[in-house]
Amino acid sequence: TVTRNATTVSKTGISDLIGQDEGTIFANIKVSELGVWYFSLSDGTNNNWLFIGQRDIGGANKIRLFLRSNSIYYIDFYSPTISNGIHKIAFSYAENNASLFIDGIKTEQNNNCSIPLGLSQLFISGQGYSTSTISQNVVGNLYSLQLYKTKLTDTECIALTTI
C-alpha cells in the first residue's frame, strides 16, 4: 500500500461524454481505512457541480453526495457508515429527479432538485471545481468510473450496484 498526498487528476472539455439532461454515474470503489477521496463533475466554477466521495465523519467512513446548481445546494447527503471493502455506487438523474444507490440499495431520492447544467470537467481527488491539490491523503481505490448519457432505471441501478 502506498499512501501519498492527493494529486488532482482532471479532464476538461468532456461535456459530450456527460449526460447534460439525464444520466447515470457509476463507480466501483474499495475503502481500506478512514480517509478521503472523491470525484466530481463541474462546469469549471463553484456554481454547478456534482460531488461523490468517501469521508471520515467522526471516525466512520461514509459516502457523501452533494449536488449544487446555480449556487444552490439541492442535495447534501451522507450515507450510513460503510465498511472497509469493495462498494458499488450509482447516481442517476433526469429533470428534477435524482437517486443514489450503494451496494444494491437505493439510499437517497430527491424529486425536487435542479440538475447542474454545462458540466464539462471531471476531477478525481482534487478540489471539486478547481485544479488545486488537497493536503489530505487519498485512501482507497477507484477501480472504475462510468458515465452513462441516460438515466438508468432503479432496477438497472440496483443490478449494477449489487455486490
Side-chain angles (χ1 to χ4, degrees):
T1 301
V2 175
T3 301
R4 61 182 173 88
N5 285 340
T7 302
T8 299
V9 176
S10 64
K11 177 69 177 160
T12 60
I14 61 168
S15 58
D16 59 328
L17 301 176
I18 301 169
Q20 296 296 320
D21 297 319
E22 66 175 295
T24 302
I25 300 165
F26 169 76
N28 186 1
I29 65 165
K30 181 178 181 184
V31 174
S32 54
E33 59 183 275
L34 296 177
V36 176
W37 65 264
Y38 56 86
F39 61 87
S40 64
L41 299 168
S42 82
D43 66 352
T45 72
N46 191 22
N47 299 323
N48 296 293
W49 53 316
L50 165 68
F51 167 105
I52 300 174
Q54 168 198 340
R55 296 276 311 178
D56 170 4
I57 305 297
N61 275 320
K62 296 181 183 274
I63 298 297
R64 182 178 186 196
L65 164 72
F66 67 82
L67 181 70
R68 182 176 167 119
S69 182
N70 294 317
S71 300
I72 298 170
Y73 284 98
Y74 283 93
I75 299 174
D76 194 356
F77 169 75
Y78 287 96
S79 74
T81 299
I82 59 172
S83 61
N84 289 350
I86 295 174
H87 298 279
K88 295 181 179 182
I89 303 166
F91 175 72
S92 63
Y93 58 93
E95 298 174 1
N96 295 329
N97 179 288
S99 300
L100 178 67
F101 301 82
I102 302 173
D103 298 338
I105 298 170
K106 188 177 193 178
T107 60
E108 174 78 358
Q109 180 167 336
N110 187 313
N111 295 319
N112 190 27
C113 63
S114 178
I115 303 302
L117 298 176
L119 301 179
S120 62
Q121 297 182 12
L122 168 67
F123 294 93
I124 300 172
S125 298
Q127 298 291 342
Y129 54 90
S130 73
T131 56
S132 303
T133 58
I134 58 175
S135 60
Q136 297 166 320
N137 292 332
V138 176
V139 178
N141 301 88
L142 176 62
Y143 290 123
S144 66
L145 178 64
Q146 299 171 5
L147 305 174
Y148 296 85
K149 290 180 124 176
T150 59
K151 180 183 187 292
L152 300 180
T153 66
D154 285 2
T155 301
E156 290 170 321
C157 286
I158 289 167
L160 186 64
T161 59
T162 297
I163 300 284

